[in-house]
Amino acid sequence: MIPVIQSWTQGAWIALDILLVALLIYQVLVMIRGTRAVPMLVGLIVVCLAFYFARIGELTTLNWVVSRVLPYAVFALIVVFQSEIRHVLADLGRRLTFLKTSATDSDSYDDIVLAANLFSQHQTGALIVIEREIGLRTHIESGVPLDARLSYDLLATIFRPSAPLHDGAVIIQKDRVAAAACFLPLSMNPLLSTQLGTRHRAGIGITEETDAIAVICSEESGAISFAVGGTIERDLTADQLRERLSAELRRHITPATLPTAIAGNHELDAAFESPLAESAQQRKSDSETEPLG
């Protein structure tokens, strides 16, 4: 009976060992997915295979080099993959504090709705991309890194027409604004309406290549659009945008009080309430004074 118990216990430990190794490999693959670490990892595997065959073939000189370099390989890997390691540790910390931060995340995403409503009122162009499972680090590196807490005020400041970062897209990771002024791939779908400009095609393009969500505000009409999976929904209200974000992100977003539309005869007071009011007034005055051709 005792040998049977010992055999069962040993088998359980072996199974646990295999499970932990598989979990570790899976986490590494998740960590590097969507990043530049993938080609580096392929190159590392090629080098390891070369060293392995060198040892089998009894190549004395190459084996001597490997024996001298190998002790420092761990430090080299830490330097090469430092950003990925930092990302994984930060993600682990967020998971451990999930219960404490869930309410904050909902409030942060509601800031997107409030900002989109502001942009719609003042006809300010904006493109906000929300990262989900597929990493957007390649696109983040094309812009200006921020790593700032997501807030209504920050979005309103970034997309102010006079701001240096208003061109391009803002990419959001979790409850952080990862980068601004990012370049996105344009959709080449021939079925899209010819009325869609570069901003809308960029928003659709990123959702065609990844599982990200894009919120687009038109500079010409002020219409709010929502893109996901290569499709776009246009002319949404702020409440409809909140519902779509809640459905796609699978979390409840508590409705916040939307600011009321600003009447045209109170432009002076509006300038103190919104960072976009001044630029909207400037565009209006320029269009009124522009001579007819």
Side-chain angles (χ1 to χ4, degrees), residues 3-101:
V4 174
I5 296 177
Q6 291 179 346
S7 177
W8 182 87
T9 304
Q10 185 178 7
W13 281 112
I14 293 175
L16 179 61
D17 186 23
I18 295 175
L19 180 63
L20 291 177
V21 172
L23 181 62
L24 179 61
I25 295 175
Y26 173 77
Q27 289 297 331
V28 170
L29 295 176
V30 171
M31 176 181 66
I32 67 175
R33 181 180 61 181
T35 69
R36 296 181 302 175
V38 175
M40 289 191 293
L41 181 61
V42 173
L44 180 63
I45 293 174
V46 172
V47 172
C48 291
L49 289 176
F51 288 160
Y52 173 74
F53 288 116
R55 185 174 295 274
I56 292 179
E58 298 182 356
L59 302 178
T60 307
T61 306
L62 188 57
N63 284 331
W64 179 84
V65 172
V66 172
S67 61
R68 295 296 184 271
V69 173
L70 194 58
Y72 306 98
V74 176
F75 301 101
L77 290 176
I78 294 176
V79 173
V80 171
F81 296 103
Q82 58 178 324
S83 60
E84 284 74 20
I85 295 173
R86 183 169 60 249
H87 178 73
V88 154
L89 293 178
D91 184 64
L92 178 61
R94 282 194 294 266
R95 291 183 181 182
L96 294 176
T97 58
F98 174 77
L99 294 178
K100 297 181 181 180
T101 59

Side-chain angles (χ1 to χ4, degrees), residues 179-193:
C182 299
F183 294 96
L184 302 180
L186 299 181
S187 174
M188 303 303 293
N189 187 351
L191 300 179
L192 293 178
S193 172

Side-chain angles (χ1 to χ4, degrees), residues 81-151:
F81 296 103
Q82 58 178 324
S83 60
E84 284 74 20
I85 295 173
R86 183 169 60 249
H87 178 73
V88 154
L89 293 178
D91 184 64
L92 178 61
R94 282 194 294 266
R95 291 183 181 182
L96 294 176
T97 58
F98 174 77
L99 294 178
K100 297 181 181 180
T101 59
S102 59
T104 304
D105 289 346
S106 298
D107 294 340
S108 298
Y109 284 112
D110 196 62
D111 287 335
I112 298 177
V113 179
L114 296 175
N117 183 71
L118 174 69
F119 301 148
S120 177
Q121 288 184 14
H122 296 284
Q123 296 185 7
T124 300
L127 175 54
I128 304 172
V129 177
I130 304 173
E131 180 188 85
R132 291 201 283 182
E133 294 298 326
I134 300 178
L136 302 177
R137 205 165 304 172
T138 301
H139 304 290
I140 291 173
E141 292 173 352
S142 69
V144 178
L146 296 179
D147 191 26
R149 187 179 66 85
L150 173 62
S151 68

Side-chain angles (χ1 to χ4, degrees), residues 133-291:
E133 294 298 326
I134 300 178
L136 302 177
R137 205 165 304 172
T138 301
H139 304 290
I140 291 173
E141 292 173 352
S142 69
V144 178
L146 296 179
D147 191 26
R149 187 179 66 85
L150 173 62
S151 68
Y152 163 81
D153 294 325
L154 178 59
L155 292 176
T157 302
I158 291 175
F159 287 110
R160 181 168 181 163
S162 59
L165 300 179
H166 78 280
D167 284 331
V170 160
I171 297 180
I172 296 174
Q173 291 179 319
K174 304 295 184 181
D175 60 339
R176 310 284 294 180
V177 177
C182 299
F183 294 96
L184 302 180
L186 299 181
S187 174
M188 303 303 293
N189 187 351
L191 300 179
L192 293 178
S193 172
T194 56
Q195 297 178 352
L196 297 179
T198 303
R199 182 178 289 110
H200 289 79
R201 290 184 177 273
I204 299 172
I206 191 64
T207 63
E208 289 176 342
E209 297 187 2
T210 68
D211 63 347
I213 298 171
V215 177
I216 311 111
C217 294
S218 173
E219 185 174 1
E220 288 74 20
S221 63
I224 301 175
S225 300
F226 183 87
V228 62
T231 61
I232 186 169
E233 303 173 26
R234 304 173 63 185
D235 299 325
L236 299 181
T237 64
D239 291 332
Q240 290 173 334
L241 176 61
R242 180 183 290 109
E243 292 176 359
R244 294 296 290 118
L245 283 174
S246 178
E248 292 295 334
L249 299 172
R250 292 181 176 84
R251 65 179 59 184
H252 175 67
I253 301 179
T254 305
T257 303
L258 296 174
T260 57
I262 301 172
N265 57 349
H266 298 290
E267 293 178 350
L268 183 59
D269 294 335
F272 294 95
E273 297 176 4
S274 168
L276 303 177
E278 181 181 353
S279 58
Q281 296 170 23
Q282 182 65 34
R283 290 199 305 269
K284 180 178 178 182
S285 61
D286 292 343
S287 61
E288 290 177 351
T289 58
E290 184 179 358

